[in-house]
Amino acid sequence: MSGAPSGVRLGTPFGVPIHLAASWPLFAVFAIVYFGPQIQHAVPELGAGAYVVAAAYVVLLALSVFAHEVAHAVAARASGARVGRIVLDLFGGHTVYEADRLTPGQSALVAVVGPLTNGVLAALVWVVAPVLPDGVPWLLGMAFVWSNAIVAIFNLIPGHPLDGGHLLDALVWRVTGRRDLGLLVSGWAGRLVALGVVAWFALRPLAAGVVPSLFVLGWAGLIAVMLWAGASQAVRHGRHLRAYARVTTRDVLAPVVLVAADTPLSHIPAGPRGAGAVDPIVLVGDADAPAESWLLCEPPADLDPREAASVPASAVAARPRPGWILDTPHLPDLADLVDHMHAASAAVVLVRTSDGVLGGVEASTVAAALRRHGLRP
């Protein structure tokens, strides 16, 4: 889960931090400026008070978004995922939770409860609308109904980062058994949705002979950019998972060569050559000593071969970073190994079980293997 956003922390109800992002006031200003004149036209006697009513509508809309995100958070927590926070921002809001912990069914449940919550809110206010007083109360009630209905329907469009995209992801994942394919399909669908937003607000009016306002075009452009960014993130995540599915720890596990401190560099065996070959990791130390005392031997790439015979391994050896040894009951998954390397900030990790050292893994070797299988930097 990513770091906390800038803005105001509103509280921590039911253990989940709620943040009002620094971008949210921009959304509020847009909504007031956009809806104020419409309310003034519908109820002329309000005058400038129409903008106060528009501000009240913004508050109701924020509560609707909050309810939507709380539904996501509750469903995610009930499914066993840790929820990081709820954020109200420029484009409504989002909930940060550990999506990778969920099954396809759980992922679909977390996605669908948000739009369902907005649908329920719209239905409830629709039922009580006939008893609302005429004028501003009725106007706000109907605006609340339609905005919740639109939020529910729009979010069900099948494309990341919308909830419908998460449903599409879960469906493809469930049918194929491949989470990477679900993310790739829903990510590309989300990119089409982003283009569709631009077409709807820009090309459709032009085709009808109407020039769209720059204000609406600017807002539609921001929404399209947000959708494209979210969709692209899903595509990148899908490529990431696909590459990791094709590379195992054994593919990048290198043999360990342990040499004495006075061993000349010319006597250290060279590794295999060729695409995908894994060079041995050379360590300096005593085989009878704990691995924690070993040093990492890294001869300079530009070392003159004629000098290698006179340079001992200890001259180019250094102590690895703390945490470079991974003690594990069995060979770890590559993703877990990479997580350990990141946590330890270690470029080289020694994998050790109760039977001894299995081998070593270099970050550069992992990166090269993943690139060969389509993972882009």
Side-chain angles (χ1 to χ4, degrees):
M1 291 182 288
S2 57
S6 59
V8 180
R9 180 165 170 161
L10 302 179
T12 312
F14 54 88
V16 177
I18 311 297
H19 292 266
L20 189 68
S23 62
W24 189 85
L26 294 177
F27 165 76
V29 169
F30 165 80
I32 293 171
V33 172
Y34 183 76
F35 290 110
Q38 297 182 36
I39 296 172
Q40 199 170 43
H41 178 75
V43 190
E45 60 270 23
L46 287 176
Y51 289 90
V52 176
V53 176
Y57 170 65
V58 169
V59 173
L60 290 175
L61 191 56
L63 292 174
S64 300
V65 172
F66 177 68
H68 177 111
E69 299 304 332
V70 167
H72 285 319
V74 170
R77 175 174 284 182
S79 299
R82 186 168 65 91
V83 179
R85 63 183 178 273
I86 293 173
V87 181
L88 302 181
D89 57 20
L90 176 63
F91 299 105
H94 65 273
T95 301
V96 180
Y97 61 94
E98 293 176 319
D100 290 340
R101 285 180 173 267
L102 305 179
T103 66
Q106 290 170 334
S107 181
L109 173 65
V110 173
V112 78
V113 294
L116 283 180
T117 298
N118 291 116
V120 169
L121 290 174
L124 288 176
V125 177
W126 177 265
V127 169
V128 303
V131 300
L132 291 175
D134 292 337
V136 171
W138 185 89
L139 191 64
L140 283 175
M142 295 311 297
F144 184 84
V145 168
W146 283 109
S147 60
N148 273 277
I150 291 171
V151 168
I153 294 170
F154 182 71
N155 268 283
L156 288 174
I157 296 175
H160 252 83
L162 300 173
D163 294 325
H166 290 275
L167 290 172
L168 177 60
D169 167 23
L171 176 62
V172 175
W173 179 13
R174 178 69 180 83
V175 171
T176 65
R178 292 178 53 188
R179 179 71 198 282
D180 64 309
L181 188 59
L183 287 166
L184 289 170
V185 170
S186 62
W188 278 103
R191 286 175 168 176
L192 292 177
V193 172
L195 295 177
V197 167
V198 174
W200 179 265
F201 286 99
L203 301 182
R204 186 182 64 89
L206 290 174
V210 178
V211 178
S213 73
L214 293 178
F215 188 68
V216 172
L217 281 180
W219 192 253
L222 284 174
I223 293 175
V225 168
M226 181 273 294
L227 292 174
W228 186 275
S232 297
Q233 184 177 13
V235 170
R236 286 193 297 271
H237 191 192
R239 288 172 176 162
H240 176 94
L241 293 180
R242 183 176 60 185
Y244 270 81
R246 294 175 177 176
V247 181
T248 68
T249 300
R250 197 164 295 282
D251 293 330
V252 296
L253 191 68
V256 171
V257 175
L258 187 63
V259 300
D262 58 355
T263 303
L265 295 182
S266 59
H267 290 186
I268 296 176
R273 293 292 180 263
V278 181
D279 293 337
I281 294 175
V282 181
L283 300 171
V284 178
D286 187 344
D288 295 327
E292 285 79 2
S293 67
W294 296 346
L295 303 178
L296 182 63
C297 181
E298 295 182 299
D302 58 351
L303 180 67
D304 190 327
R306 292 171 296 183
E307 298 178 4
S310 60
V311 178
S314 59
V316 291
R319 186 166 300 282
R321 293 186 63 86
W324 76 293
I325 298 177
L326 173 60
D327 287 305
T328 176
H330 50 72
L331 194 66
D333 290 336
L334 183 62
D336 294 335
L337 178 64
V338 170
D339 286 344
H340 177 84
M341 297 181 85
H342 286 163
S345 298
V348 176
V349 164
L350 208 61
V351 180
R352 182 174 62 183
T353 68
S354 57
D355 296 325
V357 174
L358 298 181
V361 177
E362 294 188 83
S364 58
T365 300
V366 174
L370 292 173
R371 281 197 300 270
R372 287 196 298 271
H373 289 278
L375 183 64
R376 299 176 184 176

